[in-house]
Amino acid sequence: MTASKGYTAYAQHDAASIVVTTTAELSAALKQLAAGSGGTILLDGAGGPYDIIAFHLGSSATPILIGPLDPDVPPVIHEMKLTSSSYIAVTGMYFDGATTPKGPDIKVNGGRNVEIVGNTMHGTADGFLSEDGTATQGNSLASVRASSNMLFSDNTVSNYLHGFGVLDSTGLIFTNNDVSQLQGDGFRGGGLNNAVISDNHMHDFLGSTQTMNHSDMIQLWGTWTQSPNRDITISGNLLDAGNDAATQGIFIMNEWFSKAGSPAAGYFQNISITDN
């Protein structure tokens, strides 16, 4: 998998096209296309809001594209949960974090070749987070676990506690995203293998007191992971605090380096940090 600014266009996306106006119709369309030859699901922005739920759906033979019926009217998404699902691409959506106050808006567990490209995502965080402040603590955007070959690109992310979080996954590409107004971390993860974090613009974070949260734009760790981070490229990112809270740029530490019996003990390996 190589860095890209668009989802993969499979020929099977043209095998069928289904227009939906409700979550129930969307769920039925996912099952129908996964049982057939794949295809495209078009969400009517005048309908919804929608939940994208997939459980053991999709394959290389039945790739599914989920997009807007009218690109000028982005469908509103409450939440997206993909469990052991593969070859699903989502584009042109508006993820409304206000409808998932406990978050995260996106959960991917055991996914393969999931692509989230060209969406807008807006959470509930509205100011600097402190013990004695009045700011609303935002929900988090994404939790990805035990997944492979995932692409998250060209998305606009704002007003969350944390942005994109990933654990124990391989072949991840996180590229060309605009991330701003977060109280915590922009990208955070551990147990990564063969990951690319490139050409993102992270800027103007809301921030928090460090007693409440360890704020970084990009953070890699070792706690509760199944292996040390390895083969990771962090390049071409623009990290700019702007006029908002001070935020650490890139923070990397294996807290379980010497933890006896931990699969994550030991050195992180082959991490390249260039041109940021």
Side-chain angles (χ1 to χ4, degrees):
M1 201 171 183
T2 57
S4 169
K5 291 188 178 181
Y7 60 82
T8 304
Y10 294 99
Q12 293 96 321
H13 288 162
D14 296 327
S17 181
I18 303 174
V19 176
V20 303
T21 60
T22 67
T23 291
E25 293 175 356
L26 170 57
S27 296
L30 279 166
K31 293 176 182 178
Q32 177 182 333
L33 295 181
S37 301
T40 298
I41 302 173
L42 299 174
L43 277 58
D44 187 344
Y50 300 90
D51 295 325
I52 302 174
I53 309 295
F55 185 75
H56 289 280
L57 293 179
S59 69
S60 59
T62 63
I64 298 171
L65 171 65
I66 302 174
L69 178 63
D70 180 352
D72 293 328
V73 186
V76 175
I77 305 300
H78 278 173
E79 62 179 344
M80 184 171 87
K81 293 182 179 179
L82 305 182
T83 304
S84 300
S85 295
S86 305
Y87 290 88
I88 295 176
V90 177
T91 189
M93 304 293 143
Y94 179 84
F95 286 79
D96 184 3
T99 62
T100 54
K102 293 184 179 180
D105 290 359
I106 298 170
K107 293 182 181 179
V108 179
N109 194 344
R112 293 186 300 115
N113 295 83
V114 172
E115 302 181 345
I116 303 173
V117 177
N119 304 279
T120 298
M121 298 138 172
H122 188 81
T124 56
D126 59 7
F128 182 84
L129 189 62
S130 65
E131 291 87 348
D132 56 356
T134 59
T136 299
Q137 178 173 311
N139 53 325
S140 291
L141 170 63
S143 173
V144 177
R145 292 175 179 266
S147 296
S148 62
N149 297 336
M150 182 170 183
L151 173 65
F152 189 92
S153 75
D154 295 273
N155 300 292
T156 300
V157 176
S158 64
N159 296 90
Y160 287 91
L161 173 60
H162 299 299
F164 190 91
V166 56
L167 290 175
D168 298 321
S169 297
T170 185
L172 169 74
I173 296 176
F174 182 88
T175 186
N176 207 51
N177 301 290
D178 187 283
V179 182
S180 68
Q181 299 291 291
L182 302 191
Q183 293 166 323
D185 302 332
F187 177 98
R188 59 204 318 247
L192 304 184
N193 178 18
N194 187 26
V196 175
I197 306 164
S198 67
D199 301 314
N200 300 287
H201 185 196
M202 298 187 182
H203 60 100
D204 301 290
F205 279 20
L206 297 170
S208 67
T209 59
Q210 295 305 290
T211 51
M212 293 191 71
N213 179 71
H214 185 267
S215 299
D216 310 290
M217 291 186 171
I218 298 172
Q219 179 180 189
L220 301 179
W221 70 74
T223 307
W224 299 114
T225 62
Q226 296 303 305
S227 64
N229 291 297
R230 60 185 183 274
D231 300 322
I232 298 171
T233 298
I234 303 174
S235 67
N237 301 286
L238 177 59
L239 311 176
D240 180 12
N243 293 321
D244 283 285
T247 305
Q248 295 183 131
I250 300 171
F251 185 94
I252 299 174
M253 179 179 179
N254 188 356
E255 301 86 346
W256 280 14
F257 176 81
S258 300
K259 188 175 178 66
S262 169
Y267 290 104
F268 293 167
Q269 300 176 29
N270 299 330
I271 298 178
S272 172
I273 303 174
T274 60
D275 298 322
N276 299 284

